[in-house]
Amino acid sequence: MASSTGGESRGMRLDAWLARAGLASRREARGLIRRGAVTVEGEICRDPARHVRDEVVRLEEALVESPAEGRDFLLHKPIGYACSRDERESPRVFDLLEADVPRRRDLLIAGRLDRATSGLLVLTTDGDLVHRLTHPGRKLPKRYRVGFDGELAADAVPRARAGLLLAGDERPTRPAELVIEGPGRATLVLREGRTHQVRRMFRALGAEVTTLHRDRVGDLDLPADLAPGALRPLSEADRERLLAEPGSSESSL
Ligand code: URA
């Protein structure tokens, strides 16, 4: 994984540039580049990792507009908003965008949160990014700060690590890191994203979640200065942190 520091000053990878311009998924972009369909400053470039910033990029001779920041967003989801397109579920996270961003039908949510959950949420037009953030095979760590009522089982930590078979599921949960922080407070790192997973796991371990907040995905922390309800464009450095290889954030629990 490329270093996130300096990523922006060097510009953006060519495959990311095409994807962010909405012309292709990142994988398709790599194919187009390798096939010789893309020029940088008039020269065919077959290297998807080539960084571009101010150069003229063309795809099959058509100018590719600079994918200025603003297509992808990092949102501090407040409690009470639904991760849904359905207007009957208002208020929805999309209602928070109106002041800042034109209403966009093509924005996707990469890893939903329950209405009663707050925290880091990625909104993007890049289906490839959604796939990479949510595919269980990638085992991307997601960190949750949990408030709970009741007594967790004495062996809750090893049981979470071993995996729990939750009601209605066919397979046990993937190994999860549970840290009891104090009375009624815990941190849980999951590497998958089943529906209501944290709440169901706590219930299986004897307690009821009262507050839930996601403050980290991959190696990206929810910025301390991003207030609930606020959003900011997702930078290239943010994307690299989000997709940091599993294991690189192990020590940050
Ligand atoms: N687990 C839950 O129970 N809810 C969320 O919103 C996210 C993870």
Side-chain angles (χ1 to χ4, degrees):
M1 182 61 52
S3 143
S4 53
T5 52
E8 277 157 306
S9 57
R10 284 190 302 144
M12 189 186 295
R13 281 175 57 113
L14 190 54
D15 54 357
W17 183 278
L18 294 174
R20 295 277 294 281
L23 296 171
S25 71
R26 204 147 156 172
R27 186 177 311 132
E28 288 163 350
R30 283 194 285 275
L32 289 165
I33 295 162
R34 293 201 176 104
R35 278 214 309 279
V38 178
T39 59
V40 177
E41 295 290 320
E43 301 283 331
I44 290 177
C45 175
R46 295 183 194 272
D47 177 10
R50 156 94 189 260
H51 278 71
V52 283
R53 192 173 52 174
D54 301 321
E55 291 90 338
V56 173
V57 177
R58 290 180 187 273
L59 171 62
E60 283 154 358
E61 305 201 347
L63 184 67
V64 179
E65 297 283 347
S66 164
E69 285 184 354
R71 294 186 66 86
D72 305 326
F73 303 96
L74 193 63
L75 171 70
H76 184 162
K77 178 193 174 298
I79 292 168
Y81 285 76
C83 287
S84 168
R85 279 273 169 212
D86 189 340
E87 296 201 350
R88 289 168 300 183
E89 296 201 42
S90 292
R92 306 156 309 150
V93 291
F94 297 105
D95 300 324
L96 293 162
L97 307 183
E98 271 185 304
D100 303 75
V101 188
R103 237 171 212 287
R104 292 239 309 267
R105 295 295 308 169
D106 55 349
L107 268 180
L108 307 166
I109 298 171
R112 288 160 195 272
L113 292 173
D114 296 339
R115 189 188 288 279
T117 305
S118 57
L120 193 165
L121 195 67
V122 173
L123 301 169
T124 178
T125 53
D126 180 354
D128 202 35
L129 178 63
V130 176
H131 181 78
R132 293 169 77 192
L133 287 176
T134 57
H135 194 280
R138 283 193 59 92
K139 302 185 191 153
L140 202 67
K142 296 171 186 106
R143 187 171 69 189
Y144 294 90
R145 304 294 188 184
V146 187
F148 62 91
D149 268 347
E151 283 292 317
L152 278 176
D155 58 354
V157 171
R159 280 173 65 194
R161 190 177 301 130
L164 299 169
L165 188 58
L166 300 173
D169 286 2
E170 286 179 358
R171 287 171 295 102
T173 53
R174 280 188 195 277
E177 293 144 47
L178 174 64
V179 176
I180 315 289
E181 308 284 359
R185 284 189 306 115
T187 297
L188 185 65
V189 176
L190 299 183
R191 288 185 168 74
E192 61 185 338
R194 304 186 193 181
T195 308
H196 311 313
Q197 184 167 347
V198 176
R199 296 171 201 279
R200 291 162 67 214
M201 285 179 70
F202 270 68
R203 212 163 289 146
L205 294 169
E208 198 62 34
V209 170
T210 50
T211 59
L212 188 54
H213 178 76
R214 180 162 72 194
D215 69 346
R216 176 174 258 242
V217 175
D219 265 352
L220 181 66
D221 288 310
L222 181 67
D225 59 356
L226 198 64
L231 75 158
R232 71 152 208 230
L234 195 70
S235 68
E236 196 52 23
D238 291 335
R239 286 168 72 98
E240 289 182 1
R241 284 193 195 106
L242 274 173
L243 297 170
E245 290 305 320
S248 55
S249 64
E250 221 88 10
S251 60
S252 62
L253 239 188

